[in-house]
Amino acid sequence: MYLNFSEPSINHLRDRNWAAEKALIFENYGPDDWVYLIIEGIPLSERAKNKTFVPIVHPMHLHGHDFFLLAQQWQSFNLTHVNDSNIFHFNNPPRRDVALLPVGGYIAIAFKTDNPGIWILHCHIAWHASSGLALQIFERQPDVIKQSQQLGWADQTNKVCAKWRSWLDNPKNWFDSVAFQEDSGI
């Protein structure tokens, strides 16, 4: 995923077609619905092929919600795991806002769609998020549009974006005055 911080997703609330690099999950859930996600690490078989891959866990964080950690495994996901009560925990699962994605394994999370917005799920290692280990979840688009109109988000967003562009255009703010390395900021 690539986020252009000079062109935030909030400026495109009515869009229906999103570029693939936005890594956007777009579904119109109701306020009492649940989202279930399986997030997989690189399979162990792929690690052997990729000599540059560094096998580490990834602390995955979801903005806008706590989530239930239904499963966390050091093996690749298999649909049969869902019915195995030793692997998937639907009865009183732990609630988190960060969970470690095991090397070569997966996590299964669930959250209720009770907070409309565009939320990011990302690795908490900054350069991993900047490199694309993240996705956006556009939750309840009609409600987000309604809130933005009621609260006047457009004016505030335009002010913040103007300040960002001003800061970004000034090489004195860059770590390297020749080329700007944009970090995720998340």
Side-chain angles (χ1 to χ4, degrees):
M1 178 172 100
Y2 171 74
L3 293 178
N4 179 349
F5 292 100
S6 297
E7 190 56 46
S9 298
I10 197 170
N11 287 342
H12 301 277
L13 294 180
R14 287 182 168 73
D15 290 2
R16 291 279 184 188
N17 298 316
W18 294 77
E21 68 269 9
K22 292 282 188 184
L24 186 86
I25 295 177
F26 176 84
E27 296 287 338
N28 262 334
Y29 293 98
D32 291 318
D33 291 336
W34 286 82
V35 171
Y36 298 87
L37 296 173
I38 305 291
I39 304 158
E40 288 191 279
I42 295 177
L44 298 176
S45 59
E46 292 298 314
R47 283 194 343 202
K49 296 176 192 173
N50 183 349
K51 302 279 191 237
T52 61
F53 177 72
V54 178
I56 63 170
V57 297
H58 298 281
M60 301 302 293
H61 173 64
L62 175 63
H63 288 237
H65 291 278
D66 288 339
F67 56 82
F68 290 99
L69 182 60
L70 302 176
Q72 184 177 39
Q73 292 293 308
W74 291 84
Q75 59 184 316
S76 295
F77 175 72
N78 183 305
L79 193 54
T80 62
H81 294 176
V82 176
N83 296 318
D84 185 336
S85 62
N86 291 317
I87 296 176
F88 265 72
H89 305 284
F90 293 103
N91 185 17
N92 196 25
R95 195 170 95 188
R96 302 281 183 261
D97 69 351
V98 175
L100 289 179
L101 174 61
V103 176
Y106 70 91
I107 57 174
I109 67 170
F111 64 91
K112 192 172 185 178
T113 56
D114 58 1
N115 190 15
I118 302 176
W119 305 115
I120 190 165
L121 172 69
H122 64 93
C123 178
H124 239 289
I125 299 171
W127 69 271
H128 291 185
S130 296
S131 299
L133 188 49
L135 62 86
Q136 295 182 95
I137 300 168
F138 195 166
E139 180 180 333
R140 296 173 39 202
Q141 182 182 25
D143 293 332
V144 175
I145 292 170
K146 185 176 170 183
Q147 286 178 355
S148 72
Q149 293 167 337
Q150 291 173 341
L151 300 174
W153 289 356
D155 291 340
Q156 184 63 27
T157 300
N158 290 336
K159 288 176 188 175
V160 171
C161 287
K163 288 180 181 178
W164 166 256
R165 281 189 292 276
S166 175
W167 182 89
L168 182 64
D169 290 342
N170 184 350
K172 290 180 181 177
N173 294 322
W174 302 356
F175 178 73
D176 178 344
S177 62
V178 177
F180 179 73
Q181 179 182 347
E182 186 173 303
D183 196 2
S184 69
I186 49 177

